[in-house]
Amino acid sequence: MEDNAQTVLFERCGGKWKRILRFLQSVEQSSDMVETSADAYYHWKISFPSPAHVVQMSASHNHAAFVMQSGEVFTCGDNSSFCCGHKDTNRPIFRPRLVEAMKGIPCKQVVAGLNFTAFLTRQGHVYTCGANTHGQLGHGDTTDSPTPKIIEFLKQIGSIIQIAAGPSYVLAANQLKFL
């Protein structure tokens, strides 16, 4: 790796050697599933289990989520906090996997928070899963959710048109009014 590439990787990992090590280990472990260019820290070619057209994606420090043209959602990454929406938390998910709980519920947007994910359906409903230490999942409690669960409060308000996430919160817009 060139000196410039090392510097950029170090900066992108927040100057944390542990993050750099995790990144390099994950690339090594998934080398048969992910093709990288010479600038591995900039470009990733992710192989999906079946032919798919990604229309929207979001990533956090430990996981990523992808919405396909069909409305299906795939996730991958460190699922130890249930942030990928799969009940299996024994090991990281290196190849994007269909979120089974959202099967048959077409989505148009996903957002990745620190240790959680929010899903916006084509019908304007919001589902969340993952860690819920600060109540960021929007269910009125602090219970973690291993699979996506609808936010009932937002369902009562009406159709949501866009969502965003920070480290420990979700924002939802309804007719361009933030809730």
Side-chain angles (χ1 to χ4, degrees):
M1 186 181 286
E2 297 175 15
D3 289 341
N4 184 42
Q6 290 176 7
T7 302
V8 172
L9 179 60
F10 185 76
E11 290 171 2
R12 288 183 62 113
C13 291
K16 309 257 188 223
W17 288 106
K18 191 173 184 178
R19 285 186 186 167
I20 293 169
L21 178 61
R22 282 188 194 152
F23 170 79
L24 294 173
Q25 286 174 329
S26 67
V27 169
E28 180 183 46
Q29 290 174 347
S30 62
S31 62
D32 63 329
M33 295 172 214
V34 177
E35 297 174 25
T36 60
S37 71
D39 299 322
Y41 51 90
Y42 283 125
H43 308 283
W44 288 78
K45 181 178 178 185
I46 299 175
S47 300
F48 286 85
S50 61
H53 299 287
V54 176
V55 294
Q56 195 267 326
M57 63 185 143
S58 181
S60 183
H61 81 285
N62 65 350
H63 72 291
F66 309 88
V67 178
M68 303 301 144
Q69 193 171 27
S70 65
E72 294 176 309
V73 179
F74 287 75
T75 58
C76 60
D78 176 7
N79 193 38
S80 60
S81 64
F82 300 116
C83 61
C84 293
H86 308 290
K87 292 181 181 180
D88 177 18
T89 60
N90 295 333
R91 58 189 175 95
I93 301 164
F94 292 112
R95 186 173 185 177
R97 188 183 334 164
L98 178 67
V99 179
E100 292 290 332
M102 297 301 290
K103 199 170 186 175
I105 306 171
C107 291
K108 66 178 182 177
Q109 185 186 1
V110 290
V111 292
L114 185 59
N115 289 313
F116 68 96
T117 304
F119 308 79
L120 176 59
T121 69
R122 290 180 180 166
Q123 289 187 334
H125 299 143
V126 180
Y127 290 72
T128 56
C129 65
N132 197 26
T133 310
H134 306 288
Q136 64 266 37
L137 298 185
H139 301 295
D141 59 23
T142 55
T143 305
D144 294 347
S145 181
T147 58
K149 178 180 171 187
I150 195 166
I151 299 177
E152 292 294 336
F153 173 75
L154 294 178
K155 186 177 174 183
Q156 296 169 8
I157 290 174
S159 184
I160 301 300
I161 59 171
Q162 187 175 5
I163 56 176
S168 57
Y169 58 88
V170 174
L171 298 174
N174 177 340
Q175 301 300 325
L176 300 178
K177 296 177 185 176
F178 289 101
L179 306 173

